[in-house]
Amino acid sequence: MTPRSRADIPNAKRIVVKVGSSSISGENAGQIGPLVDALAQAHERGTEVVLVSSGAIATGMPYLRLDERPTDLATQQAAASVGQNLLVFRYQDSLDRYGIVAGQVLLTAGDLEHATPRSNAQRAMDRLLALRILPIVNENDTVATHEIRFGDNDRLAALVAELIGAELLVLLSDVDALYTKPPHLEGAERIAHVPFGDALAGVEIGSIGRAGVGTGGAETKVSAARIAAEAGAAVLITATTLVADALAGEEIGTWFDAAPDRHTAAGDTTLA
């Protein structure tokens, strides 16, 4: 059943966790270990966990001797090709401590827009989870184009949550919650709870993240949260450093209620 509050998170059967590039690349690459610790703890209590991880391009940049994110498509694709391999290796190396096996799932926007590849993706994800594999999902940046792509992995995570009937979506970044204005500004206040359908009137939502390697910000997270909530998943937005507390059900971050007329069971999303 969809969690009704943070306290219900430890009882969720199927969850999607999304982490941004800035949280697990460059000087923050060391955060992969604590992130895996938290995911493994949820996995060990029987929760089916899917990780949507950005970071392929950012991880590949140093190996292409790039000091900043490339702007041309071909170099982005090259960086992603190198970085995706290294990123999954780093996750698996950390997961080995728990005897958990990762499965790589690379998706394009077209995969979820068309019935046949969408059905194939859903079947593969369901089977991986049934086999107790931890799927690591990313956009297939090596073949994606500017015209046909998800835009950011917050949206991808929301669509994956919808695809697999997840009960909870956790969106992680370098900010601990959603605020009434950019958190570095005076007078910014944490938004603890967003009822379903709340338009967040009067809230100044930024469109750019703090770091220069990602593509998302608060605006993309709010948009993703609304997609997932409409599909029947509760949503928590918080910082990557707080992921263990988040999955333990602590009162942190910003909570979005799921649509009240939706009932989500693992692998299926139907009207109540």
Side-chain angles (χ1 to χ4, degrees), residues 208-247:
I208 301 175
R210 251 190 233 167
V213 294
T215 59
E219 183 177 18
T220 68
K221 287 172 177 54
V222 170
S223 177
R226 287 172 171 154
I227 292 171
E230 178 64 36
V235 181
L236 181 66
I237 297 175
T238 193
T240 304
T241 54
L242 298 175
V243 61
D245 291 338
L247 296 182

Side-chain angles (χ1 to χ4, degrees), residues 160-240:
V160 167
E162 179 181 24
L163 177 73
I164 66 171
E167 301 166 0
L168 175 71
L169 170 62
V170 181
L171 297 173
L172 303 173
S173 69
D174 53 2
V175 181
D176 68 331
L178 183 66
Y179 285 79
T180 53
K181 61 177 68 175
H184 64 279
L185 297 180
E186 184 178 354
E189 297 180 357
R190 180 173 76 97
I191 300 172
H193 177 223
V194 181
F196 180 75
D198 189 331
L200 294 173
V203 175
E204 300 177 25
I205 298 175
S207 59
I208 301 175
R210 251 190 233 167
V213 294
T215 59
E219 183 177 18
T220 68
K221 287 172 177 54
V222 170
S223 177
R226 287 172 171 154
I227 292 171
E230 178 64 36
V235 181
L236 181 66
I237 297 175
T238 193
T240 304

